[in-house]
Amino acid sequence: MLNVNQQDQLKTAPSELKGKDFLTLADFNQNDILFLLEQALEMKKLQKKGIPHPYLSGKVLGMIFEKSSTRTRVSFEVGMIQLGGQAIFLSSKDIQLGRGETVSDTAKVLSRYVDGIMIRTFGHETVEEFAENADIPIINGLTDLHHPTQVLADLLTIYEHKGTLSGLKMCYIGDGNNNMCHSLLEGAASVGMHLSIASPAGYEPNLQIFENAKRIGQSTGSQITYSASPEKAVKEADIIVTDVWTSMGQEAENEERMKVFAPYQVNKELCANAKDDFLFLHCLPAHRGEEVTAEIIDGPHSVVFDEAENRLHAQKAILKNLMES
């Protein structure tokens, strides 16, 4: 059981988080995100000490997977168990959504059975439609446009290793028009981090998301920049982030992407432009020898396995604060 000090540390969520959907990081302000990170750290300490923290006893999370996953499925399922609840895995083959039932009907039905839904899918409009029609919290486990749960874990990892977020420079190198880059834009801007993006022409971030992140950054002191030059973007970076060059659903483009992104590989020569104590992050799975060399991802600057572990703790903070009675 928790003692009084631990109970004080895990304060009740701000009322505006209870029952809220978790679709993009742009929906949460700096205080919300920092609150979630602090709670994630406290629950991580409890888990490491073997202290039960069953905040979601009796609660059930429905997990819909139209895209396969290792880290998302395991971290959400284990997270619910550690919080005293349960999780139900639902692939598109298991539910009527994959046989033509509308998203709105599925959302309304599942709202009668479970206490929250996590969805990992293709089109972002799917999670938006779920949220519009459900009366329980909807969590975006990944869409082609956003990956907010991963980036919350990234922020948690940086916060653990650097002790702060505000004012740090993060550099993202690779495909700017992907879900990781978009959520990094929103996450960095919301917490006052600077973000420099380097990607080839034609692979720039979604303009609306980019401009919105710059707008958010005006209130937090965040500076958001884009360059086609990876050397320029990575200069004096505290954190370097990359992702696979070919995401799920883009396999037909793989050969062309290998050529276009070759100058954007994260390697020893490129990282020499960053600060001496830079951190390297990758959401995994990684393709060693493509977007990153083995000496970087397996080297002393890499925190990718801390980052992977922190999916569990960050998501527990999301689950607790959205679903707790």
Side-chain angles (χ1 to χ4, degrees):
M1 296 298 292
L2 304 183
N3 61 38
V4 173
N5 288 335
Q6 290 162 342
Q7 290 172 350
D8 288 342
Q9 289 170 331
L10 287 167
K11 295 175 183 178
T12 305
S15 57
E16 62 270 18
L17 291 183
K18 290 186 178 181
K20 188 171 181 176
D21 300 312
F22 195 87
L23 305 188
T24 75
L25 288 174
D27 298 330
F28 297 85
N29 62 36
Q30 187 172 25
N31 289 337
D32 292 335
I33 292 175
L34 293 177
F35 178 84
L36 289 171
L37 296 182
E38 290 290 352
Q39 286 223 322
L41 287 175
E42 291 303 325
M43 283 191 282
K44 183 174 184 176
K45 292 176 185 176
L46 296 177
Q47 188 260 330
K48 296 293 185 184
K49 294 178 180 178
I51 300 173
H53 40 290
Y55 294 105
L56 298 182
S57 178
K59 301 282 187 177
V60 179
L61 176 72
M63 305 190 303
I64 298 174
F65 284 85
E66 293 189 312
K67 275 190 173 183
S68 59
S69 169
T70 299
R71 280 153 290 277
T72 300
R73 178 178 177 179
V74 175
S75 57
F76 269 106
E77 196 160 340
V78 171
M80 281 300 294
I81 293 169
Q82 291 183 0
L83 289 169
Q86 299 181 59
I88 299 175
F89 174 80
L90 301 166
S91 76
S92 57
K93 297 177 181 178
D94 298 325
I95 58 177
Q96 296 299 327
L97 186 63
R99 298 181 178 88
E101 183 173 46
T102 65
V103 171
S104 59
D105 284 356
T106 302
K108 291 172 184 176
V109 170
L110 291 180
S111 293
R112 306 289 183 103
Y113 297 147
V114 299
D115 303 287
I117 297 173
M118 186 283 298
I119 312 171
R120 184 177 169 94
T121 187
F122 293 89
H124 190 72
E125 64 275 5
T126 299
V127 296
E128 291 178 326
E129 190 172 354
F130 255 97
E132 184 178 345
N133 289 278
D135 54 15
I136 55 176
I138 303 299
I139 300 169
N140 176 8
L142 174 144
T143 66
D144 288 344
L145 199 61
H146 294 281
H147 200 355
T149 56
Q150 174 66 58
V151 170
L152 191 69
D154 293 358
L155 296 177
L156 178 62
T157 306
I158 296 165
Y159 191 44
E160 275 189 305
H161 283 268
K162 294 293 188 180
T164 188
L165 293 173
S166 180
L168 294 178
K169 178 182 178 180
M170 177 162 55
C171 175
Y172 173 85
I173 300 173
D175 186 357
N177 191 26
N178 85 345
N179 49 25
M180 276 300 299
C181 184
H182 293 155
S183 286
L184 285 167
L185 276 165
E186 295 178 342
S190 295
V191 299
M193 293 180 70
H194 308 312
L195 177 63
S196 59
I197 298 167
S199 64
Y203 296 89
E204 299 92 344
N206 177 286
L207 182 59
Q208 182 178 352
I209 295 172
F210 184 83
E211 292 299 330
N212 188 47
K214 290 179 70 174
R215 181 189 58 78
I216 294 170
Q218 290 175 356
S219 63
T220 63
S222 171
Q223 297 176 10
I224 307 294
T225 60
Y226 169 82
S227 172
S229 166
E231 292 79 12
K232 179 180 178 181
V234 80
K235 188 173 179 59
E236 293 299 306
D238 297 287
I239 303 102
I240 300 173
V241 188
T242 192
D243 193 8
V244 294
W245 292 339
T246 305
S247 298
M248 246 180 287
Q250 299 172 335
E251 289 79 6
E253 306 171 22
N254 186 62
E255 186 175 348
E256 176 64 20
R257 283 173 172 267
M258 291 301 104
K259 297 175 184 177
V260 171
F261 285 103
Y264 292 81
Q265 183 187 72
V266 177
N267 51 41
K268 183 178 180 181
E269 291 73 27
L270 181 63
C271 292
N273 296 285
K275 289 185 179 177
D276 292 340
D277 61 347
F278 78 90
L279 301 178
F280 174 75
L281 277 72
H282 191 305
C283 64
L284 303 179
H287 296 163
R288 287 167 171 79
E290 291 183 10
E291 73 272 9
V292 60
T293 59
E295 67 179 337
I296 295 299
I297 193 171
D298 298 322
H301 295 278
S302 177
V303 291
V304 298
F305 295 109
D306 291 347
E307 177 187 8
E309 178 190 348
N310 280 338
R311 288 292 301 277
L312 171 64
H313 309 297
Q315 284 158 192
K316 283 168 67 177
I318 296 168
L319 293 166
K320 175 188 181 296
N321 288 292
L322 269 57
M323 292 174 59
E324 189 175 25
S325 298

